[in-house]
C-alpha cells in the first residue's frame, strides 16, 4: 500500500507571495491533518480535514487555509508569506471511526518551505 | 491545557548501549504514538500504544494510561537509531481530533 505523498518536497518563496502544498493520503484514509514544524515552536497542529470539511483548526492566522477534495487529497495554502512561515509542513492521514475519533496517524515526507 | 512532556531532551550513547525515553501526558490524551524523525524530516511510526506493552525488534514501548506516562526502550542501540524521537498524544474532544507533540528527545549514537 502506498504511503502518504506530499508535493513539492522543497519550495523557496519570497515574502508576500502565496504557496499551495499538496497531500495525498493512504488509500482508504479519509482524514488528513496538517502540521507545521519549526525549530522554535516544534510540531504544531494546523488543521484536520474529513469528508471535504475542515473539522478542527489550530492556533494559526487566517492566512493559513486548506481544502480537501472528494478523493481525500488535500491542499493547504499560505497567503502573504512571512519569514516566520519558513518550516517543514507535514501532512498525516488516518482512518476516522464512525464516532469521529481518528486512529493511528501516518505522515508524509513533508514539504520544506523557505521564505526569503 | 493539553500537555505532552518528554525526557531527557538529549541523549548520547555508545553503540550497543540501552536507553529509556519517557513521555508524560495530561489526562485529556486518549491515545499515544511514538515516532522517529530521520535526518530528512520524515516521521516514522514506531508505536501506536494507548496502553500496555508492544515490541518491535530492538524497540519496545509501554504505556501506563492510569498514571499518564509512556516509555520507549531502545536496546543494543545502533548508529542508525540516531535522530529525534517524538511522542504524541491524540486528543478527541467535542468531535475534534489532533495530535499534540512533545518537544522530542534528540538521540546520538556513536560507534
Amino acid at each position: 500500500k502506498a504511503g502518504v505523498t506530499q508535493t513539492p518536497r522543497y519550495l523557496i518563496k519570497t515574502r508576500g507571495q502565496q504557496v499551495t502544498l499538496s497531500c495525498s493520503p493512504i488509500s482508504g484514509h479519509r482524514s488528513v491533518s496538517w502540521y507545521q514544524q519549526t525549530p522554535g515552536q516544534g510540531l504544531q497542529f494546523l488543521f484536520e480535514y474529513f469528508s471535504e470539511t475542515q473539522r478542527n483548526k489550530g492556533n494559526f492566522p487566517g492566512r493559513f487555509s486548506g481544502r480537501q477534495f472528494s478523493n481525500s487529497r488535500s491542499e493547504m495554502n499560505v497567503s502573504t508569506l512571512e519569514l516566520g512561515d519558513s518550516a517543514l509542513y507535514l501532512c498525516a492521514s488516518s482512518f476516522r471511526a464512525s464516532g469521529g475519533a481518528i486512529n493511528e496517524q501516518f505522515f508524509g515526507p513533508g514539504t520544506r518551505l523557505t521564505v526569503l | 491545557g493539553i500537555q505532552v512532556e518528554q525526557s531527557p531532551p538529549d541523549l548520547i550513547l555508545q553503540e550497543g548501549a540501552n536507553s529509556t525515553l519517557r513521555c508524560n501526558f495530561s489526562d485529556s490524551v486518549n491515545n499515544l504514538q511514538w515516532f522517529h524523525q530521520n535526518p530528512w524530516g520524515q516521521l516514522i511510526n514506531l508505536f501506536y500504544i494507548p496502553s500496555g506493552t508492544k515490541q518491535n525488534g530492538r524497540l519496545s514501548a509501554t504505556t501506563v494510561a492510569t498514571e499518564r506516562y509512556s516509555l520507549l526502550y531502545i536496546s543494543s542501540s545502533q548508529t542508525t537509531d540516531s535522530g529525534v524521537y517524538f511522542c504524541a498524544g491524540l486528543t478527541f474532544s467535542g468531535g475534534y481530533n489532533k495530535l499534540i507533540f512533545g518537544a522530542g528527545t534528540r538521540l546520538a549514537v556513536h560507534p
Side-chain angles (χ1 to χ4, degrees), chain A residues 13-106:
Chain A
K13 293 285 187 178
T14 56
R15 278 180 297 174
Q17 288 187 308
Q18 75 163 17
V19 67
T20 299
L21 313 181
S22 180
C23 172
S24 292
I26 291 170
S27 177
H29 286 184
R30 296 172 58 205
S31 170
V32 174
S33 299
W34 289 88
Y35 295 83
Q36 181 197 63
Q37 185 176 26
T38 60
Q41 298 298 317
L43 276 151
Q44 293 188 291
F45 171 79
L46 276 160
F47 24 63
E48 182 206 0
Y49 282 87
F50 177 74
S51 289
E52 302 175 61
T53 303
Q54 186 180 96
R55 300 297 174 143
N56 193 11
K57 185 173 183 180
N59 189 24
F60 282 83
R63 301 184 297 106
F64 290 82
S65 63
R67 59 177 175 167
Q68 186 179 35
F69 302 93
S70 58
N71 62 356
S72 297
R73 188 178 70 86
S74 176
E75 290 181 345
M76 69 161 281
N77 185 78
V78 188
S79 62
T80 319
L81 284 166
E82 301 177 0
L83 295 178
D85 296 334
S86 294
L88 179 66
Y89 290 88
L90 293 160
C91 99
S93 80
S94 58
F95 174 76
R96 207 179 207 252
S98 58
I102 59 176
N103 293 345
E104 184 176 9
Q105 292 206 323
F106 296 85

